[in-house]
Amino acid sequence: MELLSPREAAAFALSLLDLTNLRDDCDAAAIAALCARAQTPNGHSAAICIWPRFVAQARGILGSDHPVRIATVVNFPSGDLPVETVVAETRQAIADGADEIDLVIPYKAFLAGDEAAVTAMVTAVRAACPEACLKVILETGEIRDSGKIRRASELAIEAGADFIKTSTGKVSVNATLEAADIMLQAIRDSRRKVGFKPAGGISTVADADLYLRLAETIMGANWLMPSTFRFGASSLLDDILNVIAGAPSSRVSSGY
């Protein structure tokens, strides 16, 4: 990545941001506020990421063909739902206006040795949303083992993921540079056009810059764009706007 000024780096991070509200107390007013926050005088976020029950409301606010895409989550956050239930969630989300589906793999089954469960889930959801962007959440902070993170990445890619994503933001360990390194190498080695999304705990432009530089080191120059890289975050926007306004990036990270 060419050397960017702090303001340029912040503006670039904004273009890659899935501005997220997956709080348990989220309500209609919060969704309206999120849609407004995603559109700033300095540019817009790539997407908003919200609970399925709010997709229709967000589509009503943003209208059709809006540059801010609507992402929602399925099999979230536990990863434990039956395939048919997750497929139904997915179809309803698409009907309500979702552009992107963030799917949690059955990571507990995977950790118990059931790789087929991952393949079956991703394959079924891929078939249920053939035109949508499918981001597959591995929950790397629960998988932990580097070899297993690599294998989960491979399974998701082979089953049709458009992106692989680190985390739900709902467990104690979310995005880490170590997991990002493993996942990005799996993408590179697959030779497929698959994106990467670190999520959870990335709240400053300084944090974001570390992930961007790692991705460029592994994937090469000019790979970074909204179609191949996203940040999942709720508080990163605050630091982005502060840096664009001329303040230094905070060095203190918070949660999702």
Side-chain angles (χ1 to χ4, degrees):
M1 189 165 64
E2 63 183 88
L3 186 61
L4 301 178
S5 72
R7 289 181 181 179
E8 289 171 331
F12 185 47
L14 173 60
S15 75
L16 305 175
L17 177 61
D18 284 4
L19 184 63
T20 300
N21 189 331
L22 294 170
R23 292 172 55 97
D24 293 336
D25 62 355
C26 185
D27 58 16
I31 294 300
L34 192 76
C35 290
R37 290 188 72 224
Q39 305 169 79
T40 85
N42 303 106
H44 59 78
S45 69
I48 57 171
C49 187
I50 57 179
W51 292 107
R53 63 184 179 273
F54 297 116
V55 169
Q57 178 197 352
R59 179 54 67 204
I61 293 169
L62 295 175
S64 61
D65 299 321
H66 196 280
V68 176
R69 295 170 67 82
I70 298 174
T72 194
V73 291
V74 298
N75 205 24
F76 186 95
S78 70
D80 288 340
L81 295 176
V83 170
E84 57 271 22
T85 301
V86 182
V87 166
E89 281 186 325
T90 302
R91 289 178 174 154
Q92 185 61 56
I94 297 299
D96 287 344
D99 300 299
E100 304 181 356
I101 299 294
D102 287 30
L103 162 71
V104 184
I105 66 167
Y107 62 89
K108 294 166 194 169
F110 171 72
L111 286 171
D114 189 358
E115 292 189 354
V118 177
T119 299
M121 180 66 76
V122 178
T123 300
V125 173
R126 171 77 284 170
C129 60
E131 303 301 321
C133 177
L134 177 60
K135 308 193 205 88
V136 176
I137 305 170
L138 307 185
E139 201 68 292
T140 55
E142 295 293 287
I143 296 176
R144 301 182 185 177
D145 178 82
S146 59
K148 288 184 171 64
I149 292 171
R150 170 74 185 214
R151 183 59 182 149
S153 299
E154 292 169 346
L155 290 168
I157 292 168
E158 289 164 5
D162 293 309
F163 274 71
I164 50 175
K165 174 179 171 181
T166 59
S167 320
T168 62
K170 297 289 189 179
V171 294
S172 58
V173 176
N174 292 294
T176 66
L177 289 167
E178 293 77 13
D181 182 68
I182 296 163
M183 294 168 70
L184 285 161
Q185 290 188 55
I187 292 170
R188 179 197 62 197
D189 295 346
S190 76
R191 300 185 182 276
R192 298 189 186 187
K193 186 180 178 182
V194 175
F196 172 66
K197 179 177 173 180
I202 302 168
S203 59
T204 72
V205 174
D207 289 337
D209 189 57
L210 295 174
Y211 284 91
L212 294 174
R213 294 186 182 282
L214 174 65
E216 188 183 58
T217 297
I218 294 171
M219 301 303 298
N222 303 317
W223 185 78
L224 292 164
M225 59 188 73
S227 62
T228 52
F229 192 100
R230 301 284 184 85
F231 291 109
S234 59
S235 55
L236 178 57
L237 181 60
D238 295 330
D239 199 54
I240 285 171
L241 296 178
N242 286 338
V243 172
I244 290 174
S249 176
S250 170
R251 293 284 169 174
V252 179
S253 296
S254 62
Y256 207 162

